[in-house]
Amino acid sequence: MADLTLAEGAPPAADAAARDAWAEAPAALRAWLAEGVPVSNLVTQGDALMMPRAAALALHGHRPKRQSMGALGDAWTHGARPPALASARCGDAAEGDRLVTARWSTRGYGGGRCAGHECPTRLVRALQHARAVGESIRLTLTLAREADEAHAPVRTVAAQCRVRP
């Protein structure tokens, strides 16, 4: 999975940096990255999990992208799926949380809101605007967090923070 979602080069070239990043990522983030990989293409060979080259090449062009959200951290985006946080610098937000909604306000300039896959881009613009006018921005992120236990339901977490210019 690491080479399909994190590697820069096209498969089947092994990417040690991608393998290390995969190993260090929390389980919730690995699960999000693996969601787009169809299991029908996977084959086991001994201890290895393999995928035909043609299927891997087709997936490589449509893999998740890492997007910077400035002072808030980074998010993984993929189509219309809710983004997963790759790094988080806002309140109780944690790596692997899925960004469901966001609300923000800048004193004297109003605010905005977004949902799902549109949030990383909209948050970057809101942060840039706040910095341009020299005001801090207050953010409230609604996040879906995987439970620690195998059968526990996903819970919703609210993360609040203020970003100063």
Side-chain angles (χ1 to χ4, degrees):
M1 296 299 162
D3 288 339
L4 286 175
T5 57
L6 300 175
E8 291 298 321
D15 187 332
R19 193 173 14 251
D20 292 345
W22 181 267
E24 293 170 6
L29 186 54
R30 286 195 311 265
W32 186 92
L33 289 166
E35 278 177 17
V37 179
V39 294
S40 61
N41 291 332
L42 300 177
V43 184
T44 56
Q45 285 185 338
D47 291 342
L49 190 60
M50 309 284 285
M51 178 179 284
R53 179 178 165 79
L57 287 171
L59 287 173
H60 184 73
H62 301 287
R63 68 185 197 273
K65 306 283 187 243
R66 190 171 177 138
Q67 182 175 353
S68 173
M69 295 188 300
L72 296 177
D74 296 336
W76 284 101
T77 60
H78 190 247
R81 293 167 53 196
L85 299 181
S87 63
R89 293 185 291 276
C90 183
D92 293 332
E95 188 176 5
D97 287 349
R98 297 171 193 215
L99 182 54
V100 179
T101 63
R103 286 189 334 261
W104 61 88
S105 64
T106 306
R107 188 173 38 165
Y109 293 92
R113 60 181 59 225
C114 61
H117 69 281
E118 67 182 18
C119 280
T121 302
R122 302 253 338 253
L123 285 168
V124 167
R125 277 192 244 136
L127 289 166
Q128 289 171 340
H129 177 261
R131 189 178 320 117
V133 298
E135 290 288 341
S136 62
I137 183 170
R138 289 179 184 248
L139 296 148
T140 302
L141 307 178
T142 304
L143 308 164
R145 181 170 292 166
E146 295 285 328
D148 294 334
E149 302 169 23
H151 300 292
V154 173
R155 61 189 172 114
T156 302
V157 176
Q160 297 181 350
C161 60
R162 177 188 292 185
V163 179
R164 292 187 168 88

